[in-house]
Amino acid sequence: MKLALLALRNLARNRRRTAISLAVVATGTAALLLTAGFVAFSFEGLSEAMIHGGLGHLEIARQSATEGRTATLERSVADGLDDWQALQQQVEALPGVLAAAPTLHVAGMASTAAGRSAAFLGVAGDPVRERRMGFTVKVRQGVEMADAPPREGEDQVLLTQGLAQTLGVGPGDRMTLLAVDPDGMLNALDVTVAGLITTGVQELDTRYLRLHLHSAQRLLGTASASNLLVTLDRTSRTDEALHRLRGVLAGHQPPLAVVPWTERAPFYRQVRALYRGIFWFLGSIVFALVVLATSNTLAMAVMERVRELGTLRALGTSIGQVAGLVGLEALWLGLIGGVLGDLLGAALIVALNWLNISMAPPPGAVDPIELRVLFVPEAFVGTILLMLAVLALAAVGPVLRVARLRIVEALAHT
Amino acid sequence: MTTPPVFDARGLVKRYILGETTVEALRGVDLEVSAGEVLVVAGPSGSGKSTLLHLLGTLDEPDAGSLTLAGTATATMNERARTLFRRSRLGFVFQTFNLLPVLSAEENVELPLWLAGVGARERRERARAVLAEVGLEHRFGHRPDQLSGGERQRVAIARAIVHRPLAVLADEPTGNLDSETATEVMDLLMALNRSRETVVVVSTHDPALIARAPRRVVLRDGRIAADTRGAAA
Ligand SMILES: Nc1ncnc2c1ncn2[C@@H]1O[C@H](COP(=O)(O)OP(=O)(O)O)[C@@H](O)[C@H]1O
Ligand SMILES: [Mg+2]
């Protein structure tokens, strides 16, 4: 017979009270798991939306183009990659790389025959490559841009809805793009609006447009690209790929920079801090509630058993042993409650995901999203450890009480 | 070399402070108990019997006087030493039995052996042997709430002697039993003393039981009023 087993048997004495304590611990555990799963889902969803909305996992650009720049959609073409095709081949041969797509950034003025005009921020790319990379550009109205490089006079654009509204154009309408080329000359390109899109980011939706790489090169009179966007088969391999790429490209002239998406995503750090804050806030509340609820029942369990504990002391059980007995009861509650909570949490996660609940769009986003709660393996282990800590804290009072028990008084206790 | 007495109390004083008033539960008790003795501590309720047994059992400390246990002065023992002394050298029997309700009779009896670090097999064998000795060979697996009062006290006695202590201290062990069972329990305690030379100190105020004791210490108002040996007058 071990102290731990004796503690376990003591828990079975007042089944109702033990059941209530276990329910409290399990509910707290499950609540944390749901929170962790939802936070992970939100964060991952946001991350994937950014990555597949056009950030890619990694960006390769000239060192000089990235230094001190945070506006990652405005890499100047003067600082572009002349040998992007060779780089593309080299990078796409690496393991884990889905594709490397060139983009060309062009900022300028769009104007219509009706005399309306607006500043635009254009990102040009290769639609075939981008499809392979999993970039999703949802066309709200009209059609997608043609895959094949457009012939002269057949250039197309996809406009964000806000920009289309400012310009008063829609699918099928024609307009003119004006931009300054690397030599400082003002060039113009006539384009047709193929369709309307959204970036998912409200601020960007008033001036963003997309066009084919060839159209942008024609507009700017260049064969370069601003950068290469690299996507990987898995987001979790970003760091690994980052280091490999930096190694592979180390000797390149002019020097290149490899930038992970986390450095380019707008508000990445803030959003992560926000989600962490939410999680820790809820975690603290659960922690406090479970400590309050269980310390009370632990104290009751000790109070009811004062004479028994006094008897144990009289028989030569040490202070450490009787205190350990009470402490172990608490730890059992934490362990069993935590495991039950994990099971409950898993069941709730499955159930919630099965319900397909749709939610309001997250901050900055446009579309409503489907509620999903992820399984976060670390959280399943972490909550059990947390509950052990919670119960250890809740047991401090009762354990001290037991340690200070005066034997004669305890024996006289009724 | 003579063996020191198991209990050697000199001028034991114990006071309880209750707000303004101080109760002198023991007012200078001298008592010497040698190995193998059986004695009954008699006296009316409130005379200090429990207090004396608590002091003898190192469950409480005297306010004055000295107590030497098998040659060791309790004043030199710290909390840990007293705990270890109780664990290895003393056994306790209580009026309210005080068995652990979650343990079977056998497991309750094993408890002192477990505390002493005895292995599982030997624990079980010794516990069963002692339970058989007190007439409970058919009750090994019963929980206390499945036993009668007399049976519970037998389990408690088995628990008090299983680790072969120097002395068993029994404070009103028959107080919660009917007179027939009380006599049986008392006879059992004395029989145990005969078979293993264990000191037995029993407190009681039951005249029928006092009469059966080989030595009688009578307390009155915290003082020893009489200390007699041999058959009662
Ligand atoms: N914890 C205590 N606090 C105050 N007074 C006590 C306490 N324990 C015992 N007493 C008093 O000490 C005296 C002796 O008590 P006790 O040793 O229990 O006597 P007995 O066991 O012979 O009935 C009594 O007057 C009792 O009221
Ligand atoms: Mg008493």
Side-chain angles (χ1 to χ4, degrees):
Chain A
M1 186 188 52
K2 296 273 177 326
L3 210 56
L5 287 180
L6 185 54
L8 194 56
R9 282 205 212 171
N10 279 331
L11 279 186
R13 273 159 90 154
N14 193 330
R15 280 166 210 272
R16 207 179 78 92
R17 187 165 61 207
T18 300
I20 291 172
S21 295
L22 288 177
V24 167
V25 176
T27 309
T29 304
L32 286 179
L33 287 176
L34 289 180
T35 309
F38 176 67
V39 165
F41 159 72
S42 306
F43 191 66
E44 194 179 301
L46 206 61
S47 302
E48 293 302 320
M50 287 185 192
I51 290 163
H52 293 291
L55 271 186
H57 290 101
L58 299 167
E59 179 198 25
I60 301 170
R62 286 255 290 268
Q63 182 91 52
S64 51
T66 62
E67 265 163 4
R69 307 275 168 87
T70 48
T72 58
L73 289 180
E74 296 173 56
R75 305 276 192 237
S76 157
V77 70
D79 257 347
L81 304 169
D82 299 331
D83 57 346
W84 61 268
Q85 277 156 313
L87 282 170
Q88 185 181 36
Q89 274 193 350
Q90 197 182 356
V91 171
E92 287 190 337
L94 296 174
V97 172
L98 277 186
T103 66
L104 182 54
H105 301 161
V106 47
M109 198 72 149
S111 60
T112 65
R116 297 220 211 172
S117 62
F120 74 85
L121 191 60
V123 175
D126 171 357
V128 178
R129 261 296 177 323
E130 289 180 359
R131 198 170 305 125
R132 177 149 37 117
M133 294 175 56
F135 282 7
T136 49
V137 181
K138 221 196 265 172
V139 175
R140 301 298 163 127
Q141 218 183 310
V143 296
E144 306 228 9
M145 188 156 58
D147 285 352
R151 278 175 294 192
E152 230 170 314
E154 293 180 7
D155 297 289
Q156 296 177 308
V157 289
L158 291 173
L159 291 186
T160 44
Q161 287 165 316
L163 185 55
Q165 210 172 356
T166 312
L167 292 170
V169 293
D173 292 341
R174 305 226 0 122
M175 54 188 259
T176 306
L177 301 181
L178 297 166
V180 178
D181 73 14
D183 301 325
M185 302 286 288
L186 187 65
N187 292 349
L189 185 72
D190 288 332
V191 296
T192 310
V193 178
L196 303 187
I197 57 171
T198 175
T199 59
V201 181
Q202 282 163 355
E203 294 79 54
L204 214 50
D205 269 7
T206 58
R207 54 195 188 108
Y208 183 83
L209 63 81
R210 290 192 60 87
L211 63 173
H212 199 285
L213 178 66
H214 282 257
S215 303
Q217 287 177 333
R218 196 172 286 144
L219 173 60
L220 293 175
T222 179
S224 300
S226 300
N227 59 14
L228 280 175
L229 295 182
V230 181
T231 49
L232 308 169
D233 52 2
R234 258 173 292 149
T235 302
S236 57
R237 295 178 72 168
T238 304
D239 278 348
E240 177 195 331
L242 175 69
H243 290 113
R244 180 173 296 135
L245 265 183
R246 279 183 178 157
V248 168
L249 303 175
H252 192 272
Q253 279 307 327
L256 300 178
V258 185
V259 187
W261 67 274
T262 48
E263 281 177 32
R264 300 197 300 132
F267 310 125
Y268 174 81
R269 270 167 237 283
Q270 291 93 318
V271 170
R272 195 161 79 156
L274 176 70
Y275 279 137
R276 287 208 170 160
I278 292 171
F279 184 74
W280 284 112
F281 177 67
L282 284 175
S284 316
I285 290 178
V286 168
F287 190 97
L289 285 179
V290 177
V291 167
L292 282 179
T294 54
S295 63
N296 197 33
T297 54
L298 286 174
M300 267 158 65
V302 166
M303 216 111 83
E304 280 171 8
R305 251 190 285 147
V306 165
R307 189 163 59 173
E308 186 178 319
L309 295 165
T311 303
L312 280 171
R313 292 282 291 117
L315 297 186
T317 312
S318 67
I319 291 177
Q321 282 170 317
V322 286
L325 185 64
V326 172
L328 282 169
E329 278 184 47
L331 292 184
W332 273 123
L333 279 180
L335 183 66
I336 298 172
V339 170
L340 290 177
D342 272 8
L343 296 176
L344 177 66
L348 286 175
I349 288 173
V350 169
L352 276 175
N353 288 342
W354 179 76
L355 284 175
N356 287 326
I357 298 165
S358 113
M359 302 191 316
V366 179
D367 291 327
I369 54 171
E370 196 114 289
L371 173 73
R372 283 275 169 279
V373 185
L374 301 182
F375 280 90
V376 185
E378 305 93 300
F380 277 77
V381 180
T383 44
I384 290 183
L385 295 179
L386 179 75
M387 286 305 154
L388 286 174
V390 167
L391 268 294
L393 186 63
V396 167
V399 162
L400 285 181
R401 210 198 132 151
V402 170
R404 282 197 293 254
L405 215 60
R406 301 202 48 235
I407 301 173
V408 172
E409 282 168 19
L411 287 173
H413 205 272
T414 45
Chain B
M1 200 188 95
T2 54
T3 48
V6 174
F7 296 108
D8 190 356
R10 300 284 158 94
L12 285 186
V13 172
K14 183 70 188 175
R15 300 184 196 96
Y16 295 108
I17 296 161
L18 280 174
E20 301 283 286
T21 59
T22 301
V23 181
E24 289 234 300
L26 293 179
R27 309 164 184 244
V29 168
D30 298 316
L31 183 68
E32 203 179 295
V33 184
S34 308
E37 269 197 285
V38 173
L39 71 96
V40 160
V41 177
S45 183
S47 58
K49 303 184 294 295
S50 294
T51 304
L52 177 60
L53 263 66
H54 289 153
L55 293 183
L56 295 180
T58 73
L59 300 177
D60 209 350
E61 292 168 72
D63 294 307
S66 70
L67 174 66
T68 306
L69 296 175
T72 308
T74 54
T76 68
M77 296 164 95
N78 60 14
E79 168 62 50
R80 176 90 192 143
R82 284 197 295 271
T83 298
L84 291 177
F85 187 87
R86 288 197 301 273
R87 182 185 293 181
S88 57
R89 318 299 287 279
L90 297 181
F92 289 88
V93 178
F94 305 93
Q95 179 174 354
T96 48
F97 320 133
N98 293 15
L99 299 175
L100 291 210
V102 294
L103 300 183
S104 67
E106 185 181 321
E107 288 166 333
N108 264 289
V109 177
E110 280 186 30
L111 198 62
L113 299 176
W114 176 70
L115 288 171
V118 175
R121 233 184 113 123
E122 189 188 338
R123 272 200 323 256
R124 170 189 292 228
E125 279 166 13
R126 283 171 66 179
R128 291 190 167 188
V130 175
L131 275 172
E133 209 176 325
V134 300
L136 289 176
E137 52 275 90
H138 55 298
R139 291 280 190 265
F140 291 158
H142 287 58
R143 297 263 174 122
D145 58 8
Q146 300 168 311
L147 299 172
S148 70
E151 286 173 327
R152 286 185 214 184
Q153 201 58 305
R154 284 161 187 266
V155 174
I157 290 168
R159 180 177 69 180
I161 58 169
V162 69
H163 54 306
R164 302 189 189 113
L166 275 178
V168 172
L169 296 161
D171 190 9
E172 309 243 15
T174 60
N176 280 11
L177 301 174
D178 61 63
S179 62
E180 195 181 326
T181 319
T183 310
E184 281 169 25
V185 162
M186 205 65 168
D187 287 346
L188 180 62
L189 280 168
M190 296 192 188
L192 291 169
N193 158 265
R194 278 192 295 278
S195 63
R196 50 190 93 213
E197 290 268 291
T198 304
V199 165
V200 176
V201 180
V202 186
S203 81
T204 181
H205 55 252
D206 181 342
L209 299 179
I210 297 165
R212 308 168 76 89
R215 179 179 170 191
R216 294 170 296 280
V217 172
V218 181
L219 280 180
R220 193 152 290 134
D221 293 332
R223 285 202 184 83
I224 291 184
D227 185 348
T228 55
R229 284 162 214 262

